[in-house]
Amino acid sequence: IHPASTTKIVTLITALDQGKDKLDQPLNISQEAADTEPSVLGIAPGDRLTVREALRGMMVVSGNDAAVAVAETLGGSVAGYAGMMNNEAVKMGAAHSHFVNPNGLTAARHYTTAVDMAKMAAYGMKNFPEFRYIVSLPAYDVKYLDGRPSKHVTTTNRFLISGYAGADGVKTGFTNAAGDCLVAAATRNGHTLVLALFNDDDRWEDAPAILDYGFRRLQTGK
């Protein structure tokens, strides 16, 4: 299926793994990145912020522009970074996914499966504390290196701020091709459950119901 902005789960994990020594370096922002179609963080050439700050803003507000800038900074180009993402997907056991961009805008040969995306989100939650922190942010103040005021962004994830007990992420998505998407995670009694919903008009109702079922199975076996 088309993954829309749930793609950014893989963008983030790739940066945290393969670009971990560059997270606090300045982000390179090209005009092409700044001109990426919405949704956007709202960055422009000449803005001074680190890769880490861009990643945090990217995940909270689903910034397609930030995703492209991260890809160009860490991978040299969108295509170069997509290759890094595909290598990361293989490492995470996602055998039926292929990515050609970092933001999930609809493209030929850009696809995943619900199982693959759930695997990759679970991998991020398990292996990267920074991933777990970022995807749980209801809001964030993106900091600049030149002392200008921070940019306040708020989450696109209604599940995260719904009051669901233990909700701790992960990412929304929408394109006409993909429909409404949600990769959701919640933790109770030391157990984290992850689910992936694609082309689901009822994602905000289905996610809590399915997670309730999962936690009930963990507790009772039924």
Side-chain angles (χ1 to χ4, degrees):
I1 42 77
H2 295 286
S5 279
T6 64
T7 297
K8 296 183 179 91
I9 291 168
V10 187
T11 306
L12 175 58
I13 292 171
T14 301
L16 295 178
D17 189 17
Q18 298 181 48
K20 57 182 177 288
D21 57 338
K22 300 178 180 177
L23 296 180
D24 295 310
Q25 294 183 7
L27 183 73
N28 298 323
I29 306 171
S30 68
Q31 192 62 54
E32 288 76 15
D35 290 342
T36 306
E37 63 182 84
S39 54
V40 295
L41 177 59
I43 54 176
D47 286 353
R48 290 187 47 75
L49 67 161
T50 64
V51 173
R52 187 187 305 273
E53 291 297 300
L55 288 167
R56 291 175 177 180
M58 173 191 81
M59 292 301 285
V60 172
V61 80
S62 202
N64 293 335
D65 52 352
V68 172
V70 166
E72 291 178 343
T73 301
L74 298 182
S77 66
V78 165
Y81 196 76
M84 294 165 62
M85 292 169 66
N86 289 322
N87 291 338
E88 199 72 22
V90 169
K91 185 161 75 171
M92 292 188 284
H96 304 287
S97 298
H98 188 265
F99 304 103
V100 299
N101 64 54
N103 48 34
L105 292 175
T106 305
R109 299 186 67 242
H110 188 94
Y111 57 83
T112 190
T113 69
V115 170
D116 274 6
M117 193 57 77
K119 280 183 183 178
M120 292 187 286
Y123 183 93
M125 295 292 283
K126 183 176 182 179
N127 292 290
F128 299 100
E130 177 81 354
F131 178 92
R132 199 172 186 117
Y133 166 71
I134 292 174
V135 301
S136 71
L137 290 168
Y140 188 70
D141 290 320
V142 178
K143 301 169 201 59
Y144 293 92
L145 291 167
D146 54 9
R148 62 188 276 196
S150 300
K151 179 188 289 286
H152 185 73
V153 293
T154 56
T155 186
T156 59
N157 191 344
R158 277 174 50 189
F159 167 76
L160 182 61
I161 57 175
S162 67
Y164 183 80
D168 51 12
V170 177
K171 188 72 191 75
T172 58
F174 172 80
T175 59
N176 289 333
D180 289 320
C181 310
L182 175 65
V183 178
T187 303
R188 294 181 186 173
N189 301 318
H191 294 284
T192 298
L193 298 182
V194 177
L195 67 88
L197 304 172
F198 290 94
N199 193 24
D200 183 354
D201 293 339
D202 300 313
R203 56 183 169 169
W204 308 124
E205 294 75 35
D206 289 345
I210 296 168
L211 287 166
D212 281 346
Y213 167 78
F215 285 120
R216 189 166 65 247
R217 284 290 300 269
L218 280 173
Q219 188 172 14
T220 67
K222 298 179 181 178

